[in-house]
Amino acid sequence: CRKVTMNMNTTASSRNKRSHIELEYAHLSSSTNTTIMTSSKPRLIHESLHNISQSIRFLVNGFLSQIIFMTTYNLLVSTFEPMGYPASKIYAVFYTVYIPVGHALGSLLVFGWPEKYLPSLMANAPIGLTAMAIGTALTGFLSKIEFNAKADEWISSLVGAEKPVEEEEGEFYSSLVVMVATGVWCFVLSLYVNSEKKTDAKEKEL
């Protein structure tokens, strides 16, 4: 009887230990999953932005970025073009300087701030460089055919207003065309590059 009682006690204690271990494992698994889910969220400038879809955030970021870019670019054109610098060269230099700024805005508002900023910037830099090449070529072409003056005349004739004599020409309408072309280009490539990174990160976690 004593042996039977001892065996029963040993079996009960081993069952209790197993159940205790299983509970601890379940707790650790749930906490680990919670940590992974929390860390998988991109680090945006504010947590409330997670409630907005990524596509809408990308459009808002593109609109904000283009306002900053166009305002500064037209200011630079009005300043340096009278000195003899072509609009295409002004565009190329300014776009090169603007690439880190645009990448930082996209990281804070759309894709999340990367753990390693420089590798992420280098991965996204070709997008900006190819967009710069497209924008530079397109700006030079539009400037050569005097697209801005033609667009101004067309809008003036459509509205019925007369264009003031000896009005200083800018690059507003040309920059709008360039903005749309480079914006679509950057949108497609940015989604491809950054979504590819997220897929690789998830595969590493698994």
Side-chain angles (χ1 to χ4, degrees), residues 20 104 122-123 132 135 141 153 156 158-159 176 178-179 183 199 203:
H20 182 68
M122 296 303 294
M132 180 199 69
F141 173 74
E153 289 177 1
S156 298
L158 185 66
V159 176
L176 280 178
V178 174
M179 177 191 72
T199 305
E203 288 178 355

Side-chain angles (χ1 to χ4, degrees), residues 57-114:
R57 281 188 274 125
F58 192 95
L59 291 174
V60 172
N61 172 66
F63 182 72
L64 176 63
S65 180
Q66 290 300 333
I67 287 177
I68 297 171
F69 181 85
M70 285 179 59
T71 303
T72 311
Y73 169 67
N74 282 282
L75 179 63
L76 292 174
V77 167
S78 62
T79 303
F80 291 102
E81 198 171 30
M83 299 179 184
Y85 296 98
S88 58
K89 185 175 289 186
I90 297 171
Y91 179 89
V93 173
F94 177 58
Y95 201 104
T96 304
V97 176
Y98 190 77
I99 286 175
V101 179
H103 177 257
L105 285 174
S107 298
L108 290 172
L109 298 177
V110 184
F111 300 108
W113 192 262

Side-chain angles (χ1 to χ4, degrees), residues 18-92:
R18 285 179 184 176
S19 61
H20 182 68
I21 292 171
E22 287 175 356
L23 287 173
E24 286 185 350
Y25 178 77
H27 178 70
L28 287 172
S29 299
S30 62
S31 62
T32 304
N33 291 331
T34 305
T35 305
I36 292 173
M37 290 177 64
T38 304
S39 61
S40 63
K41 283 186 177 182
R43 294 183 295 173
L44 301 176
I45 194 171
H46 197 274
E47 292 183 357
S48 60
L49 292 174
H50 290 292
N51 299 325
I52 305 172
S53 64
Q54 189 183 57
S55 58
I56 295 176
R57 281 188 274 125
F58 192 95
L59 291 174
V60 172
N61 172 66
F63 182 72
L64 176 63
S65 180
Q66 290 300 333
I67 287 177
I68 297 171
F69 181 85
M70 285 179 59
T71 303
T72 311
Y73 169 67
N74 282 282
L75 179 63
L76 292 174
V77 167
S78 62
T79 303
F80 291 102
E81 198 171 30
M83 299 179 184
Y85 296 98
S88 58
K89 185 175 289 186
I90 297 171
Y91 179 89

